[in-house]
Amino acid sequence: MTFLAALKPVGLAVLDTLLPPACLACDAPVAADGQFCVLCFGRVSFVSAPFCPSCGVPLPFVEAAGAGGICLACEANPPAFSQARSALRYDAMAKQLILPFKYADRTEIARGLARLMARAGVKLLDRADVLAPVPLHRTRLRARRYNQSALLAAELGRIAARPVWQDMLARTRPTVPLGPLGYGARREEVAGTILVRRDVAGKSVLLVDDVMTSGATADACAVALRAAGARRVDVLTAARVPDPRMG
Ligand SMILES: [Zn+2]
Ligand SMILES: [Zn+2]
């Protein structure tokens, strides 16, 4: 055996011990990238039935829904998108994944989150002609340096073999943080701030975002896309605030 041939497997083994695939949420070693360790997997809350068939919000019990299982908020204000689905409930565990992904340059988390999203959104990905991220306003993009939703959209496009139009949507002005606002005020704040920059006529568009709270932002995007001729707009997010419009 030559010196190089003998060295190669050792070199790879050393590299493996230096960079073993780590759990999405902690540093525990796992078999492959983008997985949870057994302990963390047990703490993850996936969005599961019952949830609203329209906006995808987890419902505390089936009786919380109105006619056709639709949640009372969707019944009162039908969203402009067809269906929204999310992989995870936005609880302490989901925050442990999403906050570092969003604010601390942990961009590699996109791949693992996208895998979970693909599972929750099989039907939406299947009927999508094209994917697009919910846009950040350019001042916020400059501060954060990347749009976390764009990274998720890119990974999902790869997984589902769908085109991703990263520049489909833009924000015309920055919005104030929606957190403290009630549902009506959120809707008002984002209404008319979304610009459609690509020809979406006749297309089934899947919007991608990290967290869905009231759905006001997704709704504003859907209103703009439908006005631009999109045939259908669906929404797929990594996490969903469980009880968004009750507060
Ligand atoms: Zn873990
Ligand atoms: Zn709903």
Side-chain angles (χ1 to χ4, degrees), residues 23 25-26 28 37 40:
C23 166
C26 74
C37 71
C40 290

Side-chain angles (χ1 to χ4, degrees), residues 51-57 59 69-75 79 240 245:
F51 54 78
C52 170
S54 168
C55 73
V57 71
L59 299 166
I70 300 274
C71 78
L72 301 177
C74 283
E75 214 171 50
R240 180 70 204 244
R245 280 166 288 189

